[in-house]
Amino acid sequence: MDEHPMTRAQRLRALFFSTLYISAFTFGGGYVIVTFMKRKFVDELHWIDEQEMLDMTALAQSSPGAIAVNAAILVGWRVEGLPGMAVAVLGSILPPMVILTVISFIYQAFATNPYVALVLKGMQAGVAAVILDVVCDLGGDVLKTRSVLFIGLMVAAFVASSLLQINVILIILAATAFGVLRAVYQHRKAVRR
């Protein structure tokens, strides 16, 4: 039990500064940000559990829009409802907006600078490592379930995307349809009992 529970204002402030920090210091898109959100909100603050984060990641990925903002919406809503959602989104979008605004003023010098190009190449390598970490982390959670169905779906999605070059949107739609059908089947099965 937490000896000093946070007030709502403290939670909102922590949510804002956490999403602001994560958004400002992570490069590589939504998957990278989701990893850092998991570390912050699941591992450090214990506001949500791993299964919820996995579900939120799936929802954020399958919803239209940026994964980072979608994940911030879901985490913020889960932590503090509508105010939490607003604060988390604001924290997530402020850094990119400020950075893009500054870059737009100096774009020509920025685009042709060889040092900037080298920094961006280095960031690509770092992003690849973080995405691999996400895959291992979330894939490990699926493997821990020991569910033949879930592991089979994960392998099928990998094969469809990597080897068969099937569009990721089609894979997401197929997984969504499968999930809906499975939920309907389980609901009907429970009602019959």
Side-chain angles (χ1 to χ4, degrees), residues 136-148:
C136 292
D137 210 23
L138 296 178
D141 290 343
V142 172
L143 292 175
K144 286 178 191 173
T145 66
R146 295 182 183 215
S147 167
V148 174

Side-chain angles (χ1 to χ4, degrees), residues 94-108:
L94 272 178
M97 286 177 58
V98 169
I99 291 168
L100 289 174
T101 301
V102 170
I103 289 174
S104 71
F105 288 114
I106 57 170
Y107 178 73
Q108 194 59 35

Side-chain angles (χ1 to χ4, degrees), residues 9 16 75 91 94 161:
F16 174 77
V75 169
L94 272 178
S161 175

Side-chain angles (χ1 to χ4, degrees), residues 5-160:
M6 289 179 147
T7 65
R8 184 170 196 179
Q10 290 171 326
R11 284 171 66 99
L12 287 170
R13 189 171 29 258
L15 185 60
F16 174 77
F17 284 112
S18 295
T19 55
L20 183 79
Y21 175 81
I22 289 168
S23 182
F25 295 105
T26 53
F27 296 89
Y31 297 110
V32 176
I33 289 176
V34 166
T35 300
F36 286 102
M37 284 182 160
K38 178 198 173 287
R39 288 196 181 129
K40 184 68 173 181
F41 301 121
V42 175
D43 300 338
E44 186 181 321
L45 295 172
H46 307 291
W47 286 350
I48 54 179
D49 62 33
E50 281 193 40
Q51 183 59 46
E52 284 177 303
M53 192 68 219
L54 192 60
D55 293 343
M56 287 179 187
T57 302
L59 281 170
Q61 181 181 3
S62 60
S63 300
I67 295 172
V69 176
N70 291 344
I73 288 169
L74 294 168
V75 169
W77 182 266
R78 172 64 178 83
V79 172
E80 279 297 332
L82 187 59
M85 181 180 71
V87 161
V89 169
L90 185 62
S92 291
I93 65 172
L94 272 178
M97 286 177 58
V98 169
I99 291 168
L100 289 174
T101 301
V102 170
I103 289 174
S104 71
F105 288 114
I106 57 170
Y107 178 73
Q108 194 59 35
F110 190 80
T112 58
N113 187 318
Y115 298 110
V116 171
L118 287 173
V119 167
L120 292 175
K121 284 286 184 193
M123 286 181 176
Q124 286 177 349
V127 167
V130 173
I131 290 175
L132 179 63
D133 182 51
V134 172
V135 169
C136 292
D137 210 23
L138 296 178
D141 290 343
V142 172
L143 292 175
K144 286 178 191 173
T145 66
R146 295 182 183 215
S147 167
V148 174
L149 178 66
F150 294 152
I151 294 170
L153 282 173
M154 184 174 70
V155 170
F158 175 78
V159 168

